[in-house]
Amino acid sequence: MDDIAPTPLVRDAVARLVATVPTDGFGAALLAHIRSATEIANFGAFYVPDLRRPEPVLTVWSGRMSDYWFNRNARTITSHDSLRRDFADRIRRAPSQGLVIDRWHPPEGDPRAPIYARDQVIERVSVASRMGRGGFVSFYLRAVQSGWLSDTDITGLHRVLPLAHELIGLRHRIVGTTPLPARTASDLRLRNLGRFAALTPREAEVCDHAARGLSVAGTALELGISENSVRTLRKRAYRRLGVGSATALTAMILGTPA
């Protein structure tokens, strides 16, 4: 057979999206694909390695929310036993070779309700699937400004989310899971490590902000509390930890085995 001269092929939109899977640009590219169906403010995905002992790990995310707030919200959510079980239950409902999709908004009293209110999220669509002994839950957040999802919006999401979710799983198999940062006071408290175990959640949050170099005023603004409250929480936390400054606090965070 004679040689055939190479002919260039055009990458279509899906091929271009798949090509980003192992790259740092994957999150932004996937969110753009999802937004071709309807406006979604943020998306993310949790990996649960073992359904028998669900410990969800935030693996990929993108959107208007900063990395700091994504990780902070994830730590808050995964600190609740009931919410960890919720991840496992949703994965178990997925067929062995398929996906399950649900639409949800937090009822009053749910631990996620304050997070949704603060971040101006009105509702969430999530997709779950199994993988080995565990699985994935990907979630797609709708902002208050965009209003409730319409039937047309939902139809569009049903079209794009199966591919989005499968690509998230593919990325995990290629590059692994990006774990939550361990070097924060909040994470060390949740892991019951050293003196950080004695902190209250609010004291740990204030320490996180101090270690990032935020002023008392900046911390008060981000946490929505008074500057006097920040000073009181810092003083209590520093006393529990045995440190006298933000510099010493940062050194202690970095020096605590995770």
Side-chain angles (χ1 to χ4, degrees):
M1 180 181 293
D2 295 335
D3 290 340
I4 299 175
T7 304
L9 290 176
V10 177
R11 265 186 179 168
D12 64 13
V14 172
R16 289 195 299 272
L17 175 61
V18 173
T20 69
V21 166
T23 72
D24 291 340
F26 172 66
L30 185 59
L31 185 58
H33 173 70
I34 295 163
R35 286 175 175 168
S36 69
T38 189
E39 178 59 29
I40 292 294
N42 305 282
F43 91 92
F46 283 94
Y47 171 56
V48 179
D50 191 338
L51 294 176
R52 295 170 300 181
R53 298 173 57 191
E55 295 290 342
V57 178
L58 184 63
T59 180
V60 63
W61 62 91
S62 186
R64 299 172 188 167
M65 199 181 303
S66 69
D67 290 355
Y68 170 77
W69 283 106
F70 254 115
N71 283 285
R72 179 183 170 188
N73 291 347
R75 281 194 297 271
T76 301
I77 290 170
T78 56
S79 68
H80 292 267
D81 289 339
S82 62
L83 300 186
R84 289 197 296 268
R85 289 194 299 269
D86 175 66
F87 281 106
D89 289 343
R90 279 188 275 157
I91 291 170
R92 289 191 184 99
R93 288 195 292 269
S96 58
Q97 297 298 322
L99 310 172
V100 64
I101 187 169
D102 69 79
R103 180 182 179 185
W104 179 86
H105 69 276
E108 187 176 351
D110 187 282
R112 289 160 288 190
I115 296 175
Y116 276 54
R118 184 199 65 214
D119 296 334
Q120 296 188 304
V121 173
I122 192 170
E123 60 180 321
R124 178 210 74 197
V125 172
S126 69
V127 180
S129 65
R130 299 185 194 180
M131 190 179 84
R133 293 189 300 180
F136 287 92
V137 176
S138 59
F139 57 94
Y140 310 89
L141 305 179
R142 177 82 162 188
V144 170
Q145 302 94 308
S146 301
W148 296 97
L149 291 164
S150 67
D151 291 343
T152 301
D153 294 328
I154 293 297
T155 298
L157 289 175
H158 277 248
R159 174 175 54 82
V160 300
L161 292 189
L163 175 62
H165 186 85
E166 296 294 357
L167 290 180
I168 288 168
L170 176 61
R171 178 180 172 84
H172 171 78
R173 290 190 287 274
I174 294 173
V175 303
T177 297
T178 303
L180 296 179
R183 300 302 182 178
T184 65
S186 291
D187 189 76
L188 295 172
R189 185 193 72 82
L190 288 173
R191 294 171 186 266
N192 204 34
L193 292 175
R195 295 185 179 183
F196 293 96
L199 297 177
T200 67
R202 204 53 148 172
E203 289 168 353
E205 284 183 329
V206 167
C207 285
D208 292 341
H209 286 69
R212 289 171 57 220
L214 263 69
S215 65
V216 169
T219 300
L221 184 63
E222 286 213 16
L223 295 183
I225 58 179
S226 70
E227 293 184 21
N228 283 339
S229 294
V230 173
R231 292 189 184 93
T232 299
L233 289 164
R234 272 196 187 187
K235 186 180 298 184
R236 287 206 313 244
Y238 284 12
R239 185 169 60 248
R240 294 183 200 273
L241 297 173
V243 299
S245 67
T247 301
L249 167 67
T250 303
M252 187 176 186
I253 291 173
L254 295 176
T256 300

